[in-house]
Amino acid sequence: AQSVTQLDSHVSVSEGTPVLLRCNYSSSYSPSLFWYVQHPNKGLQLLLKYTSAATLVKGINGFEAEFKKSETSFHLTKPSAHMSDAAEYFCVVSDTSGQGGSEKLVFGKGTKLTVNP
Amino acid sequence: GAGVSQSPSNKVTEKGKDVELRCDPISGHTALYWYRQSLGQGLEFLIYFQGNSAPDKSGLPSDRFSAERTGGSVSTLTIQRTQQEDSAVYLCASSSLIGGQETQYFGPGTRLLVL
């Protein structure tokens, strides 16, 4: 079964400093991996996705993630945090084992990012 | 263009009552998913529809939960005889295949509170 583990439930950084949100995955086949962001009282927004084309994936708002098969990791980074980055971030893997071609998403527990002025 | 819309945005109901939640997917998207986000369980898959194929209902937590998708577009999720543990945010997503890759776009959710 596909699963993801987000190693930190809460990360706090100062504005202008780097962001690192950690994620490890477990997959029986080459996975599709995603990072989604959820701002308070807002819907889920796709930040970026990995689908085996390139191991370094660039997303929106300056975020990027690197797929490392040897470490089964897909950590999310950003060089310089902005106040508007404060939100909850979800690492997600696609599970295609369901019927009818379903590609249901399996979510990590989330990492809440706080950005201090 | 318009994104995924859901209604109502908030619903408060009494234990034992039935509720219906609605999802309008992005026009042209053939696949539709329902998820639930709760404090205890995080985000979890409920059900998937794709065109005329049989739905994947493997995530429905009990037989009180059902969903349908009429005409390949709008979907309703019905919860019968609601229980307090059904309180959660119910999220709908629709998806399209671009270059063979699927991307799911989420609606704002319906926040359900069962008293």
Side-chain angles (χ1 to χ4, degrees):
Chain A
Q2 316 295 90
S3 67
V4 288
T5 301
Q6 292 184 244
L7 299 168
D8 306 293
S9 59
H10 207 131
V11 170
S12 183
V13 300
S14 297
E15 190 174 21
T17 64
V19 175
L20 169 64
L21 305 183
R22 299 181 296 163
C23 173
N24 286 103
Y25 71 89
S26 174
S27 175
S28 53
Y29 45 82
S30 183
S32 290
L33 292 160
F34 308 79
W35 277 95
Y36 278 84
V37 61
Q38 187 175 39
H39 287 91
N41 299 313
K42 296 282 181 66
L44 284 161
Q45 181 183 20
L46 178 68
L47 271 181
L48 51 82
K49 63 178 180 179
Y50 165 77
T51 52
S52 77
T55 57
L56 184 61
V57 183
K58 293 188 183 300
I60 62 172
N61 300 336
F63 284 94
E64 62 182 38
E66 186 171 9
F67 175 75
K68 292 187 176 179
K69 186 175 180 180
S70 60
E71 298 176 9
T72 61
S73 69
F74 190 59
H75 301 334
L76 181 71
T77 60
K78 181 173 180 178
S80 176
H82 192 272
M83 295 296 289
S84 60
D85 294 328
E88 189 153 23
Y89 292 78
F90 294 92
C91 182
V92 182
V93 65
S94 174
D95 182 348
T96 58
S97 63
Q99 68 179 53
S102 129
E103 296 194 25
K104 61 190 176 189
L105 300 181
V106 178
F107 286 79
K109 295 293 187 186
T111 298
K112 186 173 181 182
L113 176 65
T114 300
V115 182
N116 302 305
Chain B
V4 177
S5 61
Q6 294 186 245
S7 61
S9 53
N10 291 280
K11 176 73 177 178
V12 181
T13 190
E14 293 178 348
K15 177 181 172 182
K17 295 285 178 72
D18 298 351
V19 295
E20 273 193 2
L21 313 179
R22 177 187 168 105
C23 171
D24 282 270
I26 294 172
S27 177
H29 282 192
T30 57
L32 186 148
Y33 296 79
W34 283 97
Y35 294 86
R36 178 169 71 172
Q37 185 174 24
S38 57
L39 280 175
Q41 301 299 322
L43 267 152
E44 51 184 353
F45 164 79
L46 296 177
I47 189 169
Y48 157 82
F49 295 94
Q50 170 66 275
N52 295 320
S53 302
D56 178 354
K57 303 179 182 180
S58 60
L60 294 178
S62 78
D63 58 8
R64 296 186 295 103
F65 287 73
S66 63
E68 62 177 22
R69 189 179 185 193
T70 53
S73 181
V74 171
S75 177
T76 55
L77 176 70
T78 301
I79 309 173
Q80 296 179 307
R81 304 181 304 280
T82 51
Q83 304 294 311
Q84 287 181 333
E85 62 262 28
D86 300 334
S87 297
V89 178
Y90 289 82
L91 296 165
C92 175
S94 69
S95 70
S96 63
L97 276 175
I98 300 175
Q101 304 296 337
E102 181 181 283
T103 298
Q104 294 185 29
Y105 298 89
F106 283 81
T110 293
R111 188 176 299 272
L112 175 66
L113 178 61
V114 182
L115 300 176

